[in-house]
Amino acid sequence: MEDGTNHAMDERILHIQNCMYQYSRAIYRSIKDLIDPYVDIETQLEYRRDVLAACEGTMERLAADPHYFAKPDKALFQDIRRFFPITVQAQVAWAVTQGVDAAVSFVEDQIEAGAFDGGVARCRATTRKGKPCQRTPLPDRDYCPSHQHLERKVAA
């Protein structure tokens, strides 16, 4: 039993990593041709490697620590903006925001499904400060003991 649970977790983690890789590649593909065309070919290849590494690094960090990565789109854009001419920076910022938003939505869906935190589901309520509740919900429920009153409102 224990071995099967670990195997399922490993498969879920591999699935998440693969999806995050696909998001980083999609962002890279959408902006690679906008990289500064006025530098020599060697420099351009170096810039492409740096942009790809930044995209991958952002997705790896998002997958590894989704609760503590504020504004990943802004962070990625700040890391790569110097590789693009000023005339395309708005286009690059938009592409980065779109790609990162899609990845963040995917990660949030995975968190809600309990894919992070060792497969432990989380209460669906938010705290007074607007943060997601970190407690484990009651068995077969969406809410923890502190927020179980929310369950009845939905059912009624």
Side-chain angles (χ1 to χ4, degrees):
M1 174 75 177
E2 188 66 38
D3 202 32
T5 307
N6 287 342
H7 181 70
M9 260 332 279
D10 291 346
E11 294 224 343
R12 200 178 304 169
I13 289 166
L14 282 172
H15 170 71
I16 291 168
Q17 287 172 339
N18 181 52
C19 289
M20 298 309 282
Y21 173 80
Q22 297 302 328
Y23 284 114
S24 79
R25 285 298 158 126
I27 294 168
Y28 172 73
R29 280 193 307 271
S30 71
I31 60 177
K32 69 178 173 53
D33 294 331
L34 301 173
I35 290 172
D36 194 343
Y38 304 108
V39 295
D40 61 86
I41 199 74
E42 286 300 312
T43 305
Q44 200 169 41
L45 288 172
E46 189 182 311
Y47 284 6
R48 283 183 174 224
R49 279 191 293 272
D50 290 345
V51 168
L52 179 59
C55 291
E56 289 175 348
T58 298
M59 291 303 133
E60 285 166 11
R61 182 174 168 206
L62 191 57
D65 203 6
H67 296 290
Y68 300 102
F69 193 175
K71 300 189 174 95
D73 55 334
K74 302 250 186 311
L76 177 56
F77 181 66
Q78 287 302 325
D79 288 346
I80 65 173
R81 65 186 297 176
R82 65 192 175 93
F83 301 114
F84 299 89
I86 193 76
T87 52
V88 298
Q89 292 213 351
Q91 194 178 343
V92 172
W94 185 85
V96 165
T97 300
Q98 295 299 304
V100 172
D101 284 354
V104 167
S105 291
F106 169 76
V107 168
E108 285 171 350
D109 291 346
Q110 298 304 307
I111 290 170
E112 202 169 288
F116 290 86
D117 309 314
V120 176
R122 291 282 172 239
C123 175
R124 297 189 60 174
T126 50
T127 65
R128 287 187 187 116
K129 291 183 177 177
K131 303 267 188 252
C133 176
Q134 295 297 304
R135 296 188 64 195
T136 303
L138 294 162
D140 301 319
R141 299 288 174 95
D142 290 331
Y143 297 94
C144 70
S146 299
H147 295 111
Q148 64 186 347
H149 62 283
L150 296 170
E151 194 105 41
R152 290 192 204 98
K153 286 182 183 169
V154 173

